[in-house]
């Protein structure tokens, strides 16, 4: 089994002038991040605008990243959808093209019961031979599984861990204590060291797309016991994340990549395009800190 610990950019999806997935740019980003030393990628998640992609486009993103990364790093495909059937279809597809794991946000919109959400996860885990990582993001999904429910899922032989995107770090620590073997990813980049302090094994994050080096360093310093050093870089990264939050995180990240020479286009509607003033602001606020 591949290494699941460490730093995993949640890849953005580039769009070209005609609003089609720009596979060349996606490959370039994958290559650049591998050079920086990331441990793997989280593909077609929230950051990748998964819910704004057609089925065909999502499959194209999975395939493109696999082609670019080969077997060099660990690949986790986000296969989450509202429908269990559809999530299982994506899971089978990514398994067939060589992904190392699947992950899924809880099914949302219809306010399914937690018992239904648990069944959804088990159905995905049972459908493939690669492990499943639960994507816990209550602020977006509206689903808050209890500690007992998360622990029950993590006891399933094919459920490996949880991508934990929440401010409730007490709960992260409780998951760690109950499930010592689970892989736990910190989800909010701006609180990476909080996650590590409470027992996370690494992080999956959107800002890593263009500053994975900072998070690799935070993780290394943390592991070597240099907490002060890790904190210093976290604070630097947070100046950047503060600027991104002012304009919209994903739109801002694409704009930063464009300023760095990529051609990532803009986020899909209903996300809006940034104004020239916003892009100038990002240029001044972020580029000197990279
Ligand atoms: O889970 C990302 N969450 C979302 C990962 O995109 C909703 C994070 O990387 C955040 O984008 C980042 C900025 O708040 O921490």
């Amino acid at each position: 089994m591949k290494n699941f610990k460490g730093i995993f950019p949640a890849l953005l999806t580039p769009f070209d002038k005609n609003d089609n997935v720009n596979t060349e740019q996606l490959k370039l980003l994958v290559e650049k991040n591998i050079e920086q030393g990331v441990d793997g990628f989280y593909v077609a998640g929230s950051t990748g605008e998964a819910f704004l992609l057609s089925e065909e486009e999502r499959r194209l993103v999975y395939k493109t990243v696999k082609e670019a990364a080969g077997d060099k790093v660990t690949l986790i495909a986000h296969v989450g959808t509202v429908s269990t059937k559809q999530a299982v279809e994506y899971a089978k597809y990514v398994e067939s093209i060589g992904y190392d794991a699947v992950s899924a946000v809880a099914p949302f919109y219809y306010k399914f019961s937690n018992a239904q959400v648990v069944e959804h996860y088990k159905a995905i885990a049972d459908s493939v031979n690669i492990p499943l990582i639960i994507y816990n993001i209550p602020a977006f999904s509206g689903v808050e599984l209890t500690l007992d429910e998360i622990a029950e899922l993590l006891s399933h032989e094919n459920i490996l861990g949880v991508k934990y995107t929440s401010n409730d770090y007490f709960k992260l620590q409780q998951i760690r204590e109950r499930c010592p073997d689970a892989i736990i990813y910190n989800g909010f980049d701006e609180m990476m060291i909080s996650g590590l302090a409470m027992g996370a094994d690494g992080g999956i994050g959107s800002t890593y797309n263009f500053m994975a080096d900072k998070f690799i360093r935070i993780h290394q310093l943390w592991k070597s016991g240099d907490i002060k050093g890790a904190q210093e870089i976290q604070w630097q990264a947070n100046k950047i994340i503060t600027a991104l939050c002012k304009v919209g995180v994903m739109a801002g990240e694409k704009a930063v990549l464009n300023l760095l020479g990529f051609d990532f286009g803009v986020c899909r509607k209903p996300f809006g395009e940034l104004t020239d003033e916003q892009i100038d602001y990002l240029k001044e606020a972020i580029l000197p800190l990279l």
Side-chain angles (χ1 to χ4, degrees):
M1 198 157 80
K2 287 252 182 75
N3 162 46
F4 280 97
K5 297 186 177 177
I7 298 300
F8 288 65
L11 289 169
L12 290 155
T13 301
F15 296 114
D16 66 18
K17 300 275 173 294
N18 301 317
D19 197 21
N20 292 316
V21 175
N22 188 332
T23 54
E24 289 312 307
Q25 287 292 309
L26 184 55
K27 285 183 179 174
L28 273 179
L29 186 69
V30 166
E31 285 159 13
K32 176 167 176 269
N33 275 278
I34 290 176
E35 277 167 29
Q36 297 226 327
V38 302
D39 296 284
F41 295 101
Y42 191 81
V43 183
S46 315
T47 303
E49 297 176 65
F51 303 110
L52 307 178
L53 300 177
S54 70
E55 181 177 338
E56 197 187 323
E57 287 174 327
R58 237 214 245 200
R59 288 172 189 258
L60 177 62
V61 168
Y62 296 140
K63 188 164 151 281
T64 303
V65 174
K66 178 62 188 171
E67 277 170 12
D71 288 319
K72 290 187 198 130
V73 295
T74 305
L75 294 182
I76 306 169
H78 173 258
V79 300
T81 60
V82 175
S83 140
T84 305
K85 182 178 183 212
Q86 173 80 79
V88 164
E89 282 171 12
Y90 283 136
K92 288 186 169 159
Y93 175 67
V94 298
E95 178 180 40
S96 79
I97 63 170
Y99 271 71
D100 302 295
V102 295
S103 178
V105 72
F108 50 89
Y109 187 76
Y110 289 107
K111 298 192 186 299
F112 301 106
S113 69
N114 280 17
Q116 290 168 329
V117 172
V118 167
E119 285 312 307
H120 175 84
Y121 277 121
K122 287 183 182 169
I124 300 171
D126 288 337
S127 74
V128 285
N129 292 310
I130 50 176
L132 169 73
I133 290 153
I134 302 160
Y135 182 9
N136 176 67
I137 181 165
F140 279 27
S141 68
V143 176
E144 179 92 55
L145 293 177
T146 65
L147 177 61
D148 284 344
E149 287 160 347
I150 293 174
E152 181 198 332
L153 283 172
L154 289 171
S155 72
H156 185 291
E157 59 172 10
N158 205 28
I159 302 185
L160 178 69
V162 49
K163 165 166 149 51
Y164 189 89
T165 307
S166 157
N167 296 333
D168 184 351
Y169 282 99
F170 182 24
K171 193 166 176 181
L172 189 159
Q173 181 263 326
Q174 290 173 307
I175 299 170
R176 166 51 71 226
E177 191 174 31
R178 282 270 291 269
C179 311
D181 298 330
I183 301 285
I184 305 178
Y185 298 96
N186 182 72
F188 278 129
D189 309 356
E190 55 276 29
M191 291 178 281
M192 174 71 168
I193 54 174
S194 318
L196 292 171
M198 286 306 194
D201 298 294
I204 293 172
S206 69
T207 68
Y208 308 175
N209 277 280
F210 67 87
M211 54 170 171
D213 54 336
K214 290 202 191 327
F215 287 89
I216 290 169
R217 194 82 190 111
I218 290 172
H219 194 216
Q220 280 169 346
L221 290 168
W222 172 266
K223 284 191 292 187
S224 72
D226 184 354
I227 314 295
K228 194 72 202 155
Q231 188 193 47
E232 221 165 86
I233 301 178
Q234 177 79 76
W235 283 42
Q236 278 172 21
N238 287 9
K239 286 199 191 359
I240 295 171
I241 297 174
T242 302
L244 290 172
C245 287
K246 284 193 183 146
V247 303
V249 173
M250 283 143 54
E253 288 163 347
K254 284 191 171 177
V256 170
L257 284 174
N258 293 340
L259 289 166
L260 294 173
F262 285 90
D263 185 12
F264 262 58
V266 297
C267 290
R268 265 198 180 154
K269 285 191 185 340
F271 285 120
E273 279 187 40
L274 299 187
T275 62
D276 290 344
E277 288 72 34
Q278 286 175 312
I279 293 172
D280 286 344
Y281 163 71
L282 292 176
K283 190 173 174 181
E284 277 169 36
I286 295 181
L287 293 199
L289 299 175
L290 290 180

